[in-house]
């Protein structure tokens, strides 16, 4: 009897430990696709460092434009050259990595002219990248896990409509994850309204190229204040700390590994909405080894 009791107590302790770690453990999200020298998508997932990979970018869409994906030196979409990525996507998903298509980007041509335009774009994304069907799927037959809103230009109009239409497709079977990469000044100028819908699963906030709310020279106050605002005001499942993976990856906002692990992460991980760290990008992470250095702390 005593033996059984000990087993039960040990089991309960183990469960408590698992739950406690699960509450605060986070994952790493990476952007891949904007540098042909960053390795393949399959190699990216094989590192075991990432839980989410954002394929960047569907750079042209909306307002009557023919949608076009741009994956830099990885493949040529104009000759259907990116369909071979389908096996890589499936390889990632088999490892438990969520593969998400990022739409937008910093230097692209996109906007939504109306709610109906948003509906058309959602339909295009569903049929060409998600669970729908199309004769011209740019990345082949693999079904991606969701859509990332990396909207950094144009207007802030109708992104909430796009989120609602995309979310509606979850009812057709496989869940469509919605993620976003807003800038850290709150609220975000482009996707601020969309984020209020509460439809987003993961929000990786860009705490770089934004001096008023990013970390600088051992001063965590600005970042911490912005983090608290994001985690308290945005109804998302998880919020991520978005960072450059190397000093050259952004104009400002890089956090040295020691500062991140000893100061920044301990200050933000107590939030129940803490999801982990997002890095821009795989190419820079290859140069710095940043994800490998922080993985056990995230």
């Amino acid at each position: 009897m005593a033996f059984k009791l000990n087993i039960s107590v040990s089991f309960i302790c183990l469960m408590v430990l698992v739950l406690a770690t699960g509450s605060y453990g986070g994952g790493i999200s990476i952007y891949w696709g904007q540098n042909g020298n960053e390795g393949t998508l399959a190699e990216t997932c094989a590192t075991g460092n990432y839980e989410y990979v954002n394929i960047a970018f569907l750079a042209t869409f909306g307002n009557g434009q023919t949608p076009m994906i741009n994956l830099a030196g990885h493949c040529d979409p104009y000759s259907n050259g990116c369909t071979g990525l389908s096996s890589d996507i499936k390889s990632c998903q088999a490892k438990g990595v969520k593969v998400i298509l990022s739409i937008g980007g910093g230097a692209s041509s996109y906007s939504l002219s109306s709610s109906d335009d948003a509906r058309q774009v959602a339909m295009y994304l569903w049929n060409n990248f998600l669970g729908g069907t199309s004769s011209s799927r740019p990345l082949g037959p693999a079904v991606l896990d969701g859509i990332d809103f990396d909207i950094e230009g144009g207007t802030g109009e109708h992104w909430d409509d796009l989120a609602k239409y995309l979310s509606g497709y979850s009812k057709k079977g496989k869940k469509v994850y919605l993620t976003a990469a807003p800038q850290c000044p709150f609220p975000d100028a482009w996707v601020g309204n969309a984020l209020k819908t509460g439809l987003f699963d993961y929000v990786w906030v860009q705490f770089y190229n934004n001096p008023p709310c990013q970390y600088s020279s051992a001063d965590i106050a600005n970042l911490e204040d912005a983090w608290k605002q994001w985690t308290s005001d945005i109804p998302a499942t998880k919020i991520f700390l978005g960072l450059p993976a190397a000093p050259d990856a952004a104009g400002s906002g890089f956090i040295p590994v020691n500062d991140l692990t000893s100061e920044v992460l301990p200050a933000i991980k107590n939030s129940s909405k803490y999801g982990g760290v997002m890095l821009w990008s795989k190419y820079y992470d290859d140069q710095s080894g940043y994800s490998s250095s922080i993985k056990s702390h995230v």
Side-chain angles (χ1 to χ4, degrees), residues 162-172 176 178 199:
L162 182 60
K164 287 168 191 167
Y165 288 124
L166 284 170
S167 180
Y169 283 113
S170 286
K171 294 170 188 149
K172 297 205 170 197
V176 176
L178 295 184
L199 296 172

Side-chain angles (χ1 to χ4, degrees), residues 31-41 43-44 54-57 70-75 248 280-287:
Y31 277 83
W32 175 93
Q34 285 301 292
N35 192 302
N37 300 314
E38 63 194 342
T40 67
L41 182 60
E43 288 165 350
T44 297
N54 300 288
I55 297 180
F57 292 104
N70 174 344
L71 299 181
H74 288 288
C75 54
D248 292 346
W280 175 269
S281 63
K282 172 63 166 48
Y283 172 76
Y284 291 104
D285 195 27
D286 286 349
Q287 313 305 307

Side-chain angles (χ1 to χ4, degrees), residues 61-104:
F61 64 90
N63 207 14
Q65 301 177 92
T66 301
M68 185 54 68
I69 197 163
N70 174 344
L71 299 181
H74 288 288
C75 54
D76 177 17
Y78 291 92
S79 60
N80 267 344
C82 301
T83 54
L85 280 172
S86 202
S87 57
D88 285 36
I89 292 164
K90 290 174 181 174
S91 156
C92 290
Q93 291 169 330
K95 292 178 171 66
V97 179
K98 286 187 173 59
V99 185
I100 297 161
L101 174 69
S102 187
I103 65 172

Side-chain angles (χ1 to χ4, degrees), residues 2-21:
F3 176 70
K4 285 183 181 171
L5 182 64
N6 288 342
I7 292 289
S8 306
V9 169
S10 305
F11 180 75
I12 289 165
C13 291
L14 179 64
M15 285 298 96
V16 168
L17 185 63
V18 166
L19 287 169
T21 359

Side-chain angles (χ1 to χ4, degrees), residues 234-254:
I234 290 300
T237 310
K238 295 290 178 188
I239 309 281
F240 287 64
L241 179 72
L243 298 174
D248 292 346
S252 62
F254 175 75

Side-chain angles (χ1 to χ4, degrees), residues 61-62 103-104 109-115 117-118 121 125 147-166 178 188-195 197 199-200:
F61 64 90
I103 65 172
S109 168
Y110 53 84
S111 63
L112 297 173
S113 58
S114 64
S115 176
D117 191 16
V121 169
L125 293 169
I147 302 294
D148 175 58
F149 290 44
D150 185 10
I151 308 305
E152 303 183 39
T155 75
E157 299 293 309
H158 306 297
W159 301 110
D160 52 345
D161 293 322
L162 182 60
K164 287 168 191 167
Y165 288 124
L166 284 170
L178 295 184
D188 182 74
W190 293 285
V191 293
N193 282 336
L195 291 173
T197 61
L199 296 172
F200 286 80

Side-chain angles (χ1 to χ4, degrees), residues 124-251:
Y124 169 81
L125 293 169
W126 168 254
N127 286 327
N128 288 276
F129 297 98
L130 300 167
T133 49
S134 163
S135 57
S136 58
R137 289 173 68 94
L139 304 180
V143 176
L144 296 181
D145 293 289
I147 302 294
D148 175 58
F149 290 44
D150 185 10
I151 308 305
E152 303 183 39
T155 75
E157 299 293 309
H158 306 297
W159 301 110
D160 52 345
D161 293 322
L162 182 60
K164 287 168 191 167
Y165 288 124
L166 284 170
S167 180
Y169 283 113
S170 286
K171 294 170 188 149
K172 297 205 170 197
K174 182 177 174 180
K175 174 176 167 59
V176 176
Y177 284 87
L178 295 184
T179 71
Q183 310 291 312
C184 60
F186 189 91
D188 182 74
W190 293 285
V191 293
N193 282 336
L195 291 173
K196 286 180 193 167
T197 61
L199 296 172
F200 286 80
D201 298 284
Y202 310 122
V203 177
W204 8 87
V205 184
Q206 297 185 40
F207 282 87
Y208 53 94
N209 294 337
N210 286 295
C213 46
Q214 70 192 29
Y215 177 88
S216 64
S217 316
D219 178 14
I220 197 176
N222 289 351
L223 182 148
E224 201 172 1
D225 288 346
W227 175 264
K228 282 175 181 165
Q229 187 158 32
W230 278 100
T231 51
S232 59
D233 290 3
I234 290 300
T237 310
K238 295 290 178 188
I239 309 281
F240 287 64
L241 179 72
L243 298 174
D248 292 346

